[in-house]
Amino acid sequence: MKTAILYESWHHGNTKKLCDAIKKEYDVILLNVKEDDITLEEYDLIGIASGIAYSKFYKEIEQVAKEKMPEGKNVFLMYTCGKPGQDFAKSIKSTLASKKCNVLGTYCCKGYDTYGPLKLIGGINKENPTEDEIQGAVRFYSEMISKL
Ligand SMILES: Cc1cc2nc3c(=O)[nH]c(=O)nc-3n(C[C@H](O)[C@H](O)[C@H](O)COP(=O)(O)O)c2cc1C
């Protein structure tokens, strides 16, 4: 089974930490939305991982999902954000639904956030994602592959 995780993590590399931890234990390909050639047809399972801006996955990854996600894929979602609580994956889920993709699950945790005025107070969630949260993402991935 081939897995790719498409990711965008430009704020503090918070989300990339989750991706790297999964890659350390499993045979997955990480694809940076801005730097890599995004061809997804060959993968059986595709992760989409992003920080959150303005209550959605980052603009570029939302766009790449619209343009490059093949129909009918098994997908899982991961994100880090400043203030968890609402479903920040709503918009990307609606893109995936329009492509008849099967969303197997979503993982989220807090991430270090220095956006806007938060910078003045040194940011919030300085310790996040914690090692526990990072390992939580690895366990989440193992659940995702066990569903296939
Ligand atoms: C421009 C911008 C907008 C943001 N908007 C939100 C938001 O609407 N809700 C939220 O919880 N966090 C928000 N954040 C915080 C980030 O989602 C959080 O720091 C995330 O962990 C960054 O991930 P990354 O380091 O992988 O890019 C925002 C951050 C930036 C830079």
Side-chain angles (χ1 to χ4, degrees):
M1 192 191 70
K2 286 184 81 173
T3 302
I5 304 178
L6 183 65
Y7 74 93
E8 187 174 5
S9 182
W10 52 262
H11 188 37
H12 286 293
N14 299 324
T15 315
K16 174 91 179 347
K17 288 181 185 164
L18 312 183
C19 301
D20 285 342
I22 293 170
K23 186 171 169 55
K24 213 168 143 192
E25 296 204 22
Y26 292 94
D27 186 17
V28 300
I29 304 283
L30 301 188
L31 296 172
N32 181 314
V33 269
K34 290 182 181 163
E35 293 166 10
D36 294 310
D37 172 37
I38 309 300
T39 310
L40 299 170
E41 276 74 10
E42 69 195 274
Y43 299 101
D44 308 298
L45 177 61
I46 299 168
I48 304 181
S50 177
I52 298 299
Y54 315 114
S55 305
K56 291 162 80 168
F57 278 39
Y58 288 147
K59 215 161 77 183
E60 191 139 352
I61 206 163
E62 291 261 359
Q63 193 57 35
V64 166
K66 273 186 193 140
E67 289 170 7
K68 307 233 163 134
M69 180 63 74
E71 295 228 329
K73 290 287 185 186
N74 285 310
V75 177
F76 64 92
L77 302 173
M78 300 198 299
Y79 63 86
T80 64
C81 63
K83 288 185 193 144
Q86 66 190 93
D87 181 9
F88 292 130
K90 241 185 204 168
S91 162
I92 196 118
K93 279 180 191 163
S94 99
T95 298
L96 294 167
S98 75
K99 291 175 173 277
K100 301 178 182 64
C101 289
N102 179 25
V103 178
L104 300 171
T106 304
Y107 181 82
C108 77
C109 69
K110 285 183 186 173
Y112 179 40
D113 181 6
T114 55
Y115 175 55
L118 293 176
K119 206 180 206 161
L120 302 174
I121 56 160
I124 56 169
N125 313 332
K126 281 189 200 137
E127 309 299 324
N128 300 86
T130 61
E131 192 50 37
D132 265 10
E133 288 165 334
I134 292 170
Q135 288 313 311
V138 177
R139 284 194 299 276
F140 166 76
Y141 179 71
S142 84
E143 281 166 31
M144 294 300 101
I145 49 179
S146 72
K147 288 186 180 191
L148 296 180

